[in-house]
Coordinates of all heavy atoms in Angstrom, one line a residue:
G1 N -6.5 19.6 6.4 CA -5.7 20.8 6.1 C -4.2 20.5 6.0 O -3.4 21.5 5.9
N2 N -3.8 19.3 6.0 CA -2.4 19.0 6.0 C -2.0 18.0 4.9 O -2.1 16.8 5.1 CB -2.0 18.3 7.4 CG -0.5 18.3 7.6 OD1 0.2 18.3 6.7 ND2 -0.1 18.1 8.9
P3 N -1.7 18.5 3.7 CA -1.4 17.6 2.6 C -0.3 16.6 2.8 O -0.5 15.4 2.3 CB -1.0 18.6 1.4 CG -1.7 19.9 1.8 CD -1.7 19.9 3.3
P4 N 0.8 16.9 3.5 CA 1.8 15.8 3.7 C 1.2 14.6 4.4 O 1.5 13.5 4.1 CB 2.9 16.5 4.4 CG 2.8 18.0 4.1 CD 1.3 18.2 3.9
K5 N 0.4 14.9 5.5 CA -0.2 13.8 6.2 C -1.2 13.0 5.4 O -1.2 11.8 5.4 CB -0.9 14.3 7.5 CG 0.0 14.6 8.6 CD -0.7 15.0 9.9 CE 0.2 15.2 11.0 NZ -0.6 15.5 12.2
M6 N -1.9 13.7 4.5 CA -2.9 13.1 3.7 C -2.1 12.2 2.7 O -2.6 11.0 2.4 CB -3.7 14.1 2.9 CG -4.9 13.6 2.2 SD -5.8 14.9 1.3 CE -6.2 16.1 2.5
I7 N -1.1 12.7 2.1 CA -0.3 11.9 1.1 C 0.3 10.6 1.8 O 0.3 9.5 1.2 CB 0.8 12.7 0.5 CG1 0.2 13.8 -0.5 CG2 1.8 11.9 -0.3 CD1 1.1 14.8 -1.0
K8 N 0.8 10.8 3.0 CA 1.3 9.7 3.8 C 0.2 8.6 4.0 O 0.5 7.4 3.8 CB 1.9 10.1 5.1 CG 2.5 9.0 6.0 CD 3.0 9.5 7.3 CE 3.5 8.3 8.1 NZ 3.4 8.6 9.5
H9 N -1.0 9.0 4.4 CA -2.1 8.1 4.6 C -2.5 7.4 3.2 O -2.7 6.2 3.2 CB -3.3 8.8 5.2 CG -4.4 7.9 5.6 ND1 -5.7 8.2 5.3 CD2 -4.4 6.7 6.2 CE1 -6.5 7.2 5.7 NE2 -5.7 6.3 6.3
V10 N -2.5 8.1 2.2 CA -2.8 7.6 0.8 C -1.8 6.5 0.5 O -2.1 5.4 0.0 CB -2.8 8.7 -0.3 CG1 -2.8 8.0 -1.6 CG2 -4.1 9.5 -0.1
R11 N -0.5 6.8 0.8 CA 0.6 5.8 0.5 C 0.4 4.5 1.4 O 0.7 3.4 0.9 CB 1.9 6.4 0.6 CG 2.2 7.4 -0.5 CD 3.7 7.8 -0.6 NE 3.8 8.6 -1.8 CZ 4.5 9.7 -1.9 NH1 5.1 10.2 -0.8 NH2 4.6 10.4 -3.0
E12 N 0.0 4.7 2.6 CA -0.2 3.6 3.5 C -1.4 2.7 3.0 O -1.3 1.5 3.0 CB -0.5 4.0 4.9 CG 0.6 4.6 5.7 CD 0.2 5.3 7.0 OE1 -1.0 5.1 7.4 OE2 1.1 5.9 7.6
L13 N -2.4 3.4 2.5 CA -3.6 2.7 2.0 C -3.2 1.9 0.7 O -3.6 0.8 0.5 CB -4.7 3.6 1.7 CG -5.5 4.2 2.9 CD1 -6.5 5.3 2.4 CD2 -6.2 3.2 3.7
A14 N -2.4 2.6 -0.1 CA -1.9 1.9 -1.4 C -1.1 0.7 -1.1 O -1.2 -0.3 -1.7 CB -1.1 2.9 -2.2
E15 N -0.3 0.8 0.0 CA 0.5 -0.4 0.3 C -0.4 -1.5 0.8 O -0.1 -2.7 0.5 CB 1.5 0.0 1.4 CG 2.5 -1.0 1.8 CD 3.6 -0.5 2.8 OE1 4.0 0.6 2.7 OE2 3.9 -1.3 3.7
Q16 N -1.4 -1.2 1.6 CA -2.3 -2.2 2.1 C -3.1 -2.8 0.9 O -3.3 -4.0 0.9 CB -3.3 -1.6 3.1 CG -2.7 -1.3 4.4 CD -3.7 -0.7 5.4 OE1 -4.6 0.1 5.0 NE2 -3.7 -1.1 6.6
L17 N -3.5 -2.0 -0.1 CA -4.2 -2.6 -1.3 C -3.2 -3.5 -2.0 O -3.6 -4.6 -2.5 CB -4.6 -1.4 -2.2 CG -5.8 -0.6 -1.7 CD1 -5.9 0.7 -2.6 CD2 -7.0 -1.4 -1.7
F18 N -2.0 -3.1 -2.1 CA -1.0 -4.0 -2.8 C -0.8 -5.3 -2.1 O -0.8 -6.3 -2.7 CB 0.3 -3.2 -3.0 CG 1.4 -4.0 -3.7 CD1 1.3 -4.2 -5.1 CD2 2.4 -4.7 -3.0 CE1 2.3 -4.9 -5.7 CE2 3.4 -5.4 -3.6 CZ 3.3 -5.6 -5.0
K19 N -0.7 -5.2 -0.8 CA -0.5 -6.4 0.0 C -1.8 -7.3 -0.1 O -1.6 -8.6 -0.1 CB -0.2 -6.1 1.5 CG 1.2 -5.6 1.7 CD 1.4 -5.3 3.1 CE 2.8 -4.7 3.3 NZ 3.1 -4.3 4.7
N20 N -2.9 -6.7 -0.1 CA -4.2 -7.5 -0.2 C -4.2 -8.3 -1.6 O -4.7 -9.4 -1.6 CB -5.4 -6.6 -0.1 CG -5.7 -6.2 1.3 OD1 -5.1 -6.8 2.2 ND2 -6.5 -5.2 1.5
E21 N -3.7 -7.7 -2.6 CA -3.8 -8.3 -3.9 C -2.6 -9.2 -4.2 O -2.7 -10.1 -5.1 CB -3.9 -7.2 -5.0 CG -5.2 -6.5 -5.0 CD -5.2 -5.4 -6.0 OE1 -4.3 -5.3 -6.9 OE2 -6.2 -4.6 -6.0
N22 N -1.5 -9.0 -3.5 CA -0.3 -9.8 -3.7 C 0.3 -10.3 -2.4 O 1.3 -9.8 -1.9 CB 0.8 -8.9 -4.4 CG 0.3 -8.4 -5.7 OD1 -0.1 -9.1 -6.6 ND2 0.4 -7.1 -5.9
P23 N -0.4 -11.3 -1.8 CA 0.0 -11.8 -0.5 C 1.4 -12.4 -0.5 O 2.1 -12.4 0.4 CB -1.0 -12.8 -0.1 CG -1.7 -13.1 -1.3 CD -1.6 -12.0 -2.3
N24 N 1.8 -13.0 -1.7 CA 3.1 -13.6 -1.8 C 3.8 -13.0 -3.1 O 3.8 -13.6 -4.1 CB 3.0 -15.1 -2.0 CG 2.5 -15.8 -0.8 OD1 2.8 -15.4 0.3 ND2 1.8 -16.9 -0.9
P25 N 4.4 -11.8 -2.9 CA 4.9 -11.1 -4.1 C 6.1 -11.9 -4.7 O 6.4 -11.7 -5.9 CB 5.4 -9.8 -3.6 CG 5.5 -9.9 -2.1 CD 4.6 -11.0 -1.7
H26 N 6.8 -12.8 -4.0 CA 8.0 -13.5 -4.5 C 7.6 -14.6 -5.4 O 8.4 -15.1 -6.2 CB 8.8 -14.0 -3.4 CG 8.1 -15.0 -2.5 ND1 7.3 -14.6 -1.5 CD2 8.1 -16.3 -2.5 CE1 6.8 -15.7 -0.9 NE2 7.3 -16.8 -1.5
I27 N 6.3 -15.0 -5.4 CA 5.8 -16.1 -6.3 C 5.3 -15.4 -7.6 O 4.3 -14.6 -7.5 CB 4.7 -16.9 -5.6 CG1 5.3 -17.6 -4.4 CG2 4.2 -17.9 -6.6 CD1 4.2 -18.4 -3.6
A28 N 5.9 -15.7 -8.7 CA 5.4 -15.1 -9.9 C 5.1 -16.2 -10.9 O 5.8 -17.2 -11.0 CB 6.5 -14.2 -10.5
F29 N 4.0 -16.1 -11.6 CA 3.6 -17.1 -12.6 C 3.9 -16.5 -14.0 O 3.5 -15.5 -14.3 CB 2.1 -17.4 -12.5 CG 1.8 -18.0 -11.2 CD1 1.2 -17.2 -10.1 CD2 2.1 -19.3 -10.9 CE1 0.9 -17.8 -8.9 CE2 1.8 -19.9 -9.7 CZ 1.2 -19.1 -8.7

């Protein structure tokens, strides 16, 4: 029932997904 909290959780999950796929973002090929 709380969209702002839901959006915050979605953003946290998105950040975790990004970190899982890019463990070393400074290394670019």
Side-chain angles (χ1 to χ4, degrees):
N2 193 339
K5 281 188 177 181
M6 191 181 306
I7 290 170
K8 181 182 177 204
H9 188 223
V10 165
R11 289 194 173 133
E12 289 171 8
L13 290 173
E15 188 175 319
Q16 286 178 321
L17 288 170
F18 181 76
K19 285 179 183 175
N20 284 345
E21 292 177 9
N22 303 306
N24 293 326
H26 61 278
I27 298 174
F29 297 101

